[in-house]
Amino acid sequence: MSSSNMSNKLDLTPATCPVCSNSVSAGFSVEGVGTFHQCGKCGFIFVPETKSEDANLYDETFGSTNIHPTYRKTANGYMIKNEEKLKALLKRFQPWHKTGRILDIGCSAAFFMHLAQKNGWQADGVEIAPWAAEFSNKELGVRVFCGMLEQAAFPDNTFDVAFSSHVLEHISDPKSLLLEMKRVLRPGGLHVSVVPTQFASPSWRLQKRFIGDPPPKHVSFFDKSSFTRLVEDVGMEVVSVEYNVELTRLYELTLDREAMKKRWQDKLAVAQQASPARPQRLPGWAKAFAKSGVNFVGNALGAGDELLCLAVKK
């Protein structure tokens, strides 16, 4: 989704910031998207009192039509996506491999955990969408609990790695989820989160374009500062926190609003038709070189489309 109109600042009903507990009444609205509170103390942007953890928002229609980072729909069913990128991420986890147990919170169709199993990990997942949990258990052979993390009731100090990708932005109380992720990690274990950063993205910073799911699906909006603070406040030590800039988003900055709308409609049509993946326009080495350059600049300027954070349980 894309929107390019932002209103003036608003005075809103006071709400408590989920990151720093400050009372927040200032905010802004984005036409066609929603109204957002913004904390004047830590900068966190959020939508209070929103029921976002609803399995009905993430039924199989969402799974088959959403553009997901780890799988895609084909005529033969769901298939893994970005496999080499996921293997590289698993290699970063290897120094923490002791018990061999890894947990993916909000795993959807658990292709990442299926890949982890192939690479010597004992994998578990947690997922609120019944279709995805059932698919993961039956088709992928990954043990996935259907429900919220606290409902899974894992013992303390169980996992070497607790991973979540594009999950915390769906949670109205991200601190509680991080505390539960920390609880199930062993001492010295690794917490890994990937979160979108819509209001720190080049699309927003340069053209005030909101890209991604609006409320009620997304209700927590991070940048490097607010996410680092949140992780440290729950008692974990940050190892690294990096912005990722998507090359396709930079290209989209050259498009006007109508062209952007058509581009997203075409993407959704491809997903709904379960079409084969489109070939890359750039050779792999050229894309890697370009990614390295734009990510260096993005992190230097404090801008990116998503954030990857690694932190250790003290």
Side-chain angles (χ1 to χ4, degrees):
M1 175 174 184
S2 170
S3 179
S4 58
N5 294 318
M6 176 183 175
S7 77
N8 294 326
K9 293 182 178 180
L10 302 174
D11 289 325
L12 304 171
T13 302
T16 301
C17 175
V19 171
C20 71
S21 301
N22 184 42
S23 179
V24 180
S25 58
F28 60 92
S29 65
V30 180
E31 183 181 340
V33 179
T35 300
F36 304 85
H37 283 63
Q38 183 167 20
C39 180
K41 185 176 179 181
C42 72
F44 184 59
I45 297 171
F46 63 102
V47 181
E49 299 178 3
T50 303
K51 183 63 178 175
S52 56
E53 304 92 15
D54 183 349
N56 293 322
L57 294 173
Y58 311 105
D59 61 13
E60 191 167 4
T61 301
F62 177 81
S64 62
T65 60
N66 189 44
I67 300 169
H68 197 274
T70 64
Y71 67 83
R72 60 187 178 88
K73 184 81 177 287
T74 74
N76 296 318
Y78 294 103
M79 294 183 64
I80 193 168
K81 177 180 170 184
N82 294 324
E83 185 169 359
E84 293 307 311
K85 182 178 178 181
L86 294 173
K87 284 181 179 178
L89 189 57
L90 281 173
K91 285 182 180 179
R92 294 186 69 175
F93 303 167
Q94 199 60 35
W96 288 272
H97 189 290
K98 290 190 177 179
T99 69
R101 298 198 65 181
I102 186 171
L103 174 67
D104 188 348
I105 300 96
C107 60
S108 190
F111 281 99
F112 186 37
M113 290 299 93
H114 183 54
L115 184 64
Q117 287 182 163
K118 291 181 178 180
N119 284 269
W121 291 87
Q122 182 182 341
D124 286 88
V126 173
E127 171 57 45
I128 66 169
W131 75 268
E134 182 179 3
F135 175 86
S136 301
N137 281 287
K138 291 184 177 179
E139 303 296 328
L140 299 179
V142 178
R143 185 171 52 196
V144 173
F145 174 84
C146 186
M148 300 296 287
L149 177 57
E150 62 269 22
Q151 294 169 337
F154 291 111
D156 293 354
N157 309 319
T158 298
F159 297 97
D160 288 339
V161 178
F163 173 83
S164 71
S165 178
H166 289 247
V167 170
L168 286 160
E169 69 275 11
H170 296 271
I171 306 298
S172 57
D173 183 11
K175 182 175 284 188
S176 291
L177 179 55
L178 280 174
L179 284 167
E180 183 66 5
M181 291 172 72
K182 177 191 172 188
R183 183 188 68 78
V184 302
L185 273 176
R186 64 166 175 80
L190 181 68
H191 159 86
V192 184
S193 279
V194 183
V195 293
T197 50
Q198 286 100 323
F199 292 113
S201 70
S203 302
W204 181 260
R205 294 274 176 86
L206 296 175
Q207 295 187 356
K208 292 296 183 283
R209 283 184 176 178
F210 182 94
I211 304 293
D213 286 323
K217 287 192 173 78
H218 287 190
V219 294
S220 291
F221 301 89
F222 302 96
D223 61 12
K224 184 181 286 188
S225 175
S226 62
F227 196 75
T228 299
R229 174 170 182 158
L230 181 63
V231 170
E232 291 176 342
D233 281 355
V234 301
M236 291 191 282
E237 181 179 351
V238 173
V239 175
S240 66
V241 56
E242 309 157 352
Y243 279 119
N244 175 49
V245 179
E246 294 289 350
L247 295 178
T248 187
R249 297 286 178 266
L250 294 181
Y251 165 71
E252 289 169 353
L253 290 174
T254 68
L255 305 178
D256 62 24
R257 194 172 184 179
E258 287 304 311
M260 270 289 294
K261 182 178 179 181
K262 183 179 186 305
R263 177 175 170 83
W264 278 91
Q265 288 172 341
D266 290 345
K267 283 185 176 183
L268 289 175
V270 168
Q272 290 167 351
Q273 293 167 10
S275 302
R278 291 176 292 184
Q280 291 191 118
R281 292 188 178 92
L282 288 175
W285 66 267
K287 185 175 181 180
F289 181 78
K291 279 287 287 183
S292 177
V294 299
N295 279 340
F296 177 82
V297 173
N299 278 279
L301 297 176
D305 296 294
E306 65 180 7
L307 202 62
L308 170 64
C309 177
L310 278 64
V312 171
K313 178 178 177 177
K314 297 178 181 178

